[in-house]
Amino acid sequence: MGLRFKDGSIRLNPPMDTLIESGDRVIAISQDDDTIHISGRTDYGIDESAIIETDERKIAPERTIMLGWNGRALAILREIDNYVSPGSEALVVAQGEEAQSMIAQQSFSNMKVSFRQGDTTDRRLLDNLAIETYEHIIVLSMGESLDPQQADARTLITLLHLRDIATRQGFPFSITSEMLDIRNRELAEVTRADDFIVSDKMLSLMLSQISENKELAAVFQDLFDPAGSEIYLKPATDYIRPGRAINFYTVVEAARRRGEVAIGFRLQAEAYDPAKSYGVKVNPAKSKMVTLAKEDRVIVLAED
């Protein structure tokens, strides 16, 4: 997924014509440091006819709604502003005057941020927000003002309302929510939200990897920096023709032609199955055959 050059600098998703010199090191995704090996293959079984060639796409403005507010909300809005295209919008719905005051003091480059006062567990309020007009929904925890279990309970109520709205309207929402207690994740799975971010667990996982290799700190810093390449889930139909059995080498080649690194895929049919990692396959066996549907996603390192 990148290179650590001999001068100590890190580059994720380097240009495909980058020369690897003596003293450089490869940044790889693997189950462990002793599971990385050269396959020795010379024929990768790439299906050229399945690859969709690069075309020009204009990134459209996006609409995001943030339900709830805490000390991380403003940083999240700034990061979203770094990624979206000009003309984008964000609506923050929360209780109290703090959020409204802080938003009013900020300036954003690519999106207009507005505020609406309200209780995010109120079904009548949610019904009046035209949720279906937003591409992204973020539900933040109120853990700074409530007990963790109370905060997670409010989050769950909001998520249940959102899922019911989605079911009734037949509109698939992209929902990301913040949980405080990892033990509540299994309970939250009934809401069928796309993902849950548990801040303390994520930090613990990152710290444990850095403790094994301190140079990974620079990798994570680069990965979460809006400049350069980040992880995206893009439509599989941007890369390959759907409904055809191909190996992952073919997906890797399709991404390479776009200046991207394919590191996995997500199967929509398994998106709500925890036993199958919610359909996410990172670093799959490249020779294994897979059939991707138009609803599936390819996980790539890309600049946009």
Side-chain angles (χ1 to χ4, degrees):
M1 60 183 285
L3 295 170
R4 186 267 198 195
F5 297 107
K6 57 186 176 183
D7 63 1
S9 61
I10 295 290
R11 182 70 185 269
L12 299 182
N13 184 27
M16 297 300 164
D17 59 356
T18 301
L19 295 178
I20 302 176
E21 300 180 352
S22 176
D24 295 342
R25 303 179 70 183
V26 170
I27 303 170
I29 297 177
S30 185
Q31 290 184 341
D32 209 335
D33 57 5
D34 62 357
T35 60
I36 302 170
H37 60 88
I38 298 175
S39 69
R41 294 178 62 127
T42 56
D43 180 4
Y44 302 102
I46 294 172
D47 185 349
E48 291 283 345
S49 64
I51 295 176
I52 295 177
E53 296 296 337
T54 304
D55 58 1
E56 295 295 326
R57 285 181 172 81
K58 182 178 180 181
I59 302 176
E62 301 174 43
R63 303 188 79 222
T64 301
I65 185 168
M66 178 181 287
L67 303 175
W69 185 266
N70 58 35
R72 294 173 290 280
L74 204 56
I76 293 172
L77 288 172
R78 291 197 198 100
E79 288 300 310
I80 292 174
D81 186 53
N82 288 328
Y83 288 104
V84 297
S85 59
S88 296
E89 301 177 28
L91 171 64
V92 176
V93 182
Q95 291 178 302
E97 300 179 356
E98 178 187 10
Q100 186 174 14
S101 175
M102 294 183 71
I103 290 172
Q105 298 174 32
Q106 299 295 314
S107 60
F108 298 91
S109 301
N110 295 316
M111 68 180 183
K112 176 183 177 183
V113 181
S114 54
F115 176 82
R116 178 167 175 172
Q117 187 82 230
D119 180 357
T120 60
T121 65
D122 185 344
R123 176 57 183 263
R124 289 172 297 180
L125 171 71
L126 296 175
D127 282 335
N128 291 327
L129 289 176
I131 296 289
E132 69 279 1
T133 65
Y134 294 89
E135 286 87 7
H136 311 290
I137 303 174
I138 301 173
V139 182
L140 290 185
S141 169
M142 295 181 60
E144 295 170 357
S145 57
L146 296 175
D147 171 88
Q149 297 304 321
Q150 291 178 313
D152 281 355
R154 287 183 59 87
T155 300
L156 288 169
I157 292 171
T158 301
L159 290 171
L160 286 168
H161 284 319
L162 291 174
R163 184 52 55 196
D164 185 60
I165 292 172
T167 300
R168 289 173 181 270
Q169 296 186 1
F171 190 86
F173 299 154
S174 169
I175 306 173
T176 300
S177 180
E178 183 181 36
M179 304 290 291
L180 297 181
D181 192 332
I182 188 63
R183 294 172 297 180
N184 290 328
R185 176 161 184 164
E186 291 185 9
L187 180 62
E189 286 169 0
V190 70
T191 67
R192 296 170 65 87
D194 293 275
D195 206 357
F196 303 93
I197 304 300
V198 185
S199 302
D200 290 344
K201 184 178 182 183
M202 179 170 285
L203 286 173
S204 299
L205 292 171
M206 291 176 62
L207 286 172
S208 64
Q209 288 203 38
I210 293 171
S211 69
E212 292 286 329
N213 185 345
K214 65 181 181 180
E215 290 186 305
L216 284 175
V219 174
F220 287 129
Q221 184 175 5
D222 190 317
L223 195 58
F224 292 115
D225 191 325
S229 295
E230 301 84 31
I231 295 177
Y232 294 96
L233 279 78
K234 297 188 177 185
T237 50
D238 286 359
Y239 301 87
I240 55 94
R241 304 186 191 284
R244 296 179 58 164
I246 55 169
N247 60 25
F248 194 65
Y249 281 118
T250 302
V251 180
V252 170
E253 172 61 15
R256 185 197 66 80
R257 295 182 185 183
R258 295 171 177 264
E260 303 171 354
V261 176
I263 62 174
F265 53 85
R266 185 184 192 188
L267 303 177
Q268 182 60 33
E270 301 174 0
Y272 302 108
D273 188 345
K276 296 183 178 179
S277 301
Y278 305 93
V280 174
K281 316 293 181 183
V282 175
N283 188 30
K286 294 179 180 61
S287 58
K288 185 177 181 179
M289 304 301 286
V290 61
T291 301
L292 298 178
K294 64 180 181 179
E295 300 85 6
D296 296 334
R297 296 290 186 266
V298 174
I299 307 171
V300 296
L301 274 175
E303 291 193 359
D304 54 42

